[in-house]
């Protein structure tokens, strides 16, 4: 229940006692007014030079305090609830249901509609492995690799989520993703701090034998082109083709040190940022068919700046520190 407003006369008496230097406690005791109220009246007087009630800013909200609290509870419990669903629940409570009214009420609580980030689905086992990996490999120098699917037209659908600033990577605010694979091509590429390595198209469904051939034709040559000699650690994820016997044998026969990689950890691989930049550059060129798409990808991959590659690799330690700070959970990367 809202407390009764003090009379103007009583507020003026508080200020008249404050001016000669009387303390809040003495004023409170003499006038039988809570000390917090005394402090509030004096603060207002110092700021606005008046004790009168000031006009409220803007149009009064038609939404009750109870209705506003219910909306905040609803979006806090389920950040991906839609405005339409919030309108329906507001109507059921007998509250106003205009979209602008509901949005404004939620914004006042520091929650804003944003596009949900896509993040891997993490189990506790994944989080533990993620954390252990981060602690163990803080100092390594690595040749990064990954496969990517690039579409000829368009980008994936976006979803909005209610969240506070700085919470985009929190698990409740992100869309879990799993790997899968039309108007698109699939590529394998690698890079290091020295720049981009080879980029090759994967035709058809890739098998372990195809992957072995990609390594045989491109991995060591990429390391040579990037002047890594044999002093590099090779990163690959845990795709079954990567961990197949034929792939492992090739890596062992060629004395390639392989980085042990935790599952569901694309946020640890800085190549994800190169893929994003590559897609943006390619789509600006509007390739009209898959052959053009492949050519544009290879040309734009070769143009990616060496200093950007160096910065991404330098960010690797920050990524690992982020994982440690998040105790193995998803990070903003």
């Amino acid at each position: 229940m809202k407390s009764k407003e003090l009379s103007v006369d009583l507020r003026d008496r508080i200020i008249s006692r404050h001016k000669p230097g009387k303390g809040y406690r003495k004023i409170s005791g003499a006038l039988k007014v809570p000390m917090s109220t005394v402090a509030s009246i004096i603060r207002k007087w110092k700021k606005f030079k008046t004790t009168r009630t000031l006009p409220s800013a803007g149009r009064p909200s038609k939404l009750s305090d109870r209705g506003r609290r219910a909306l905040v509870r609803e979006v806090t419990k389920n950040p991906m609830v839609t405005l339409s669903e919030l309108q329906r629940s507001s109507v059921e409570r007998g509250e106003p249901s205009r979209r602008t009214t509901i949005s404004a009420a939620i914004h006042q609580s520091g929650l804003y509609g944003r596009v949900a980030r896509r993040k891997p689905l993490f189990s506790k086992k994944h989080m533990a492995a993620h954390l252990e990996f981060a602690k163990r490999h803080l100092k390594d120098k690595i040749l990064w690799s990954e496969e990517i699917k690039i579409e000829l037209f368009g980008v994936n659908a976006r979803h909005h989520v209610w969240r506070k600033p700085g919470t985009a990577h929190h698990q409740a605010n992100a869309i879990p993703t799993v790997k899968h694979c039309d108007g698109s091509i699939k590529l394998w590429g690698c890079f290091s701090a020295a720049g981009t390595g080879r980029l090759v198209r994967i035709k058809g469904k890739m098998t372990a034998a195809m992957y072995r051939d990609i390594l045989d034709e491109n991995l060591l040559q990429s390391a040579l082109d990037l002047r890594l000699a044999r002093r590099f650690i090779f990163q690959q994820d845990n795709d079954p083709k990567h961990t197949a016997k034929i792939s492992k044998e090739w890596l062992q026969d060629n004395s390639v040190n392989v980085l042990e990689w935790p599952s569901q950890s694309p946020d640890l691989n800085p190549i994800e940022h190169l893929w994003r930049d590559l897609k943006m550059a390619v789509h600006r060129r509007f390739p009209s068919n898959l052959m053009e798409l492949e050519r544009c990808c290879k040309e734009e991959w070769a143009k990616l700046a060496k200093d950007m590659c160096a910065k991404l690799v330098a960010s690797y330690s920050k990524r690992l520190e982020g994982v440690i700070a998040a105790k193995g959970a998803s990070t903003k990367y």
Side-chain angles (χ1 to χ4, degrees):
M1 181 183 293
K2 189 175 181 180
S3 60
K4 187 177 179 181
E5 191 173 64
L6 294 184
S7 68
V8 174
D9 177 67
L10 186 51
R11 283 179 263 168
D12 287 341
R13 286 163 63 192
I14 289 172
I15 298 303
S16 67
R17 288 171 184 257
H18 168 70
K19 284 179 178 178
K22 281 196 175 181
Y24 292 8
R25 191 181 298 278
K26 286 187 178 180
I27 297 173
S28 172
L31 299 179
K32 302 293 187 288
V33 176
M35 196 157 62
S36 60
T37 304
V38 170
S40 178
I41 295 296
I42 292 171
R43 278 198 306 271
K44 179 180 176 182
W45 175 77
K46 285 180 177 178
K47 185 173 182 180
F48 300 105
K49 301 303 178 185
T50 182
T51 59
R52 272 51 178 177
T53 302
L54 297 171
S56 59
R59 182 180 175 181
S61 174
K62 292 182 179 179
L63 197 65
S64 70
D65 289 341
R66 183 178 179 183
R68 186 178 292 104
R69 289 195 300 271
L71 286 171
V72 173
R73 278 198 305 272
E74 198 166 348
V75 298
T76 302
K77 186 176 180 181
N78 178 16
M80 294 193 185
V81 66
T82 65
L83 261 178
S84 297
E85 291 168 335
L86 291 172
Q87 283 181 291
R88 285 195 293 272
S89 60
S90 196
V91 168
E92 289 171 3
R93 289 190 295 269
E95 295 280 355
S97 60
R98 288 187 60 171
R99 296 172 74 89
T100 52
T101 302
I102 291 171
S103 293
I106 297 170
H107 292 169
Q108 286 174 0
S109 298
L111 295 161
Y112 300 88
R114 298 289 185 264
V115 176
R117 304 284 178 90
R118 294 182 179 270
K119 288 284 183 179
L121 184 62
F122 263 33
S123 66
K124 287 185 178 180
K125 184 178 178 181
H126 289 142
M127 289 170 66
H130 211 205
L131 179 59
E132 177 60 27
F133 175 89
K135 290 178 176 178
R136 194 166 60 245
H137 294 292
L138 207 51
K139 304 286 185 181
D140 290 338
K141 294 182 179 179
I142 299 163
L143 178 62
W144 305 90
S145 76
E146 196 181 45
E147 294 94 50
I148 188 73
K149 183 175 78 169
I150 296 189
E151 297 168 348
L152 186 58
F153 303 110
V155 293
N156 292 330
R158 305 195 302 173
H159 296 265
H160 285 77
V161 59
W162 296 102
R163 64 171 175 83
K164 292 188 175 183
T167 62
H169 61 283
H170 288 188
Q171 207 157 352
N173 299 333
I175 298 172
T177 60
V178 293
K179 292 195 173 181
H180 61 273
C181 206
D182 94 346
S184 65
I185 61 173
K186 208 167 185 190
L187 303 166
W188 175 92
C190 64
F191 92 106
S192 77
T196 55
R198 297 282 186 91
L199 184 74
V200 294
R201 181 176 175 182
I202 302 164
K203 295 187 176 179
K205 186 175 180 181
M206 188 163 73
T207 63
M210 288 171 65
Y211 182 66
R212 187 270 319 273
D213 291 343
I214 286 173
L215 296 180
D216 191 48
E217 295 168 12
N218 299 282
L219 181 60
L220 297 181
Q221 186 59 51
S222 291
L224 190 63
D225 293 342
L226 296 169
R227 298 183 180 180
L228 298 177
R230 302 308 293 267
R231 303 186 309 275
F232 70 91
I233 299 174
F234 176 55
Q235 180 277 332
Q236 59 178 4
D237 63 25
N238 296 316
D239 186 290
K241 294 176 284 296
H242 302 171
T243 56
K245 183 179 178 182
I246 192 172
S247 302
K248 285 183 175 180
E249 287 177 348
W250 185 92
L251 292 164
Q252 289 169 1
D253 291 345
N254 287 275
S255 304
V256 176
N257 293 320
V258 179
L259 188 65
E260 186 180 345
W261 194 248
S263 299
Q264 294 281 56
S265 301
D267 59 337
L268 291 179
N269 193 344
I271 202 171
E272 297 287 335
H273 289 261
L274 285 189
W275 292 140
R276 181 197 62 197
D277 291 346
L278 176 66
K279 287 179 180 179
M280 289 173 63
V282 167
H283 287 142
R284 280 196 293 266
R285 293 178 58 172
F286 302 105
S288 59
N289 55 57
L290 296 183
M291 189 175 293
E292 278 189 24
L293 178 61
E294 180 183 358
R295 178 174 55 80
C296 289
C297 285
K298 289 182 176 179
E299 289 174 359
E300 295 299 330
W301 180 255
K303 291 179 188 176
L304 292 173
K306 291 182 180 180
D307 62 340
M308 181 174 66
C309 294
K311 286 178 182 178
L312 285 175
V313 172
S315 77
Y316 176 56
S317 61
K318 291 183 180 178
R319 292 165 184 268
L320 297 183
E321 287 164 2
V323 170
I324 293 169
K327 298 182 179 178
S330 292
T331 69
K332 66 181 181 181
Y333 300 101

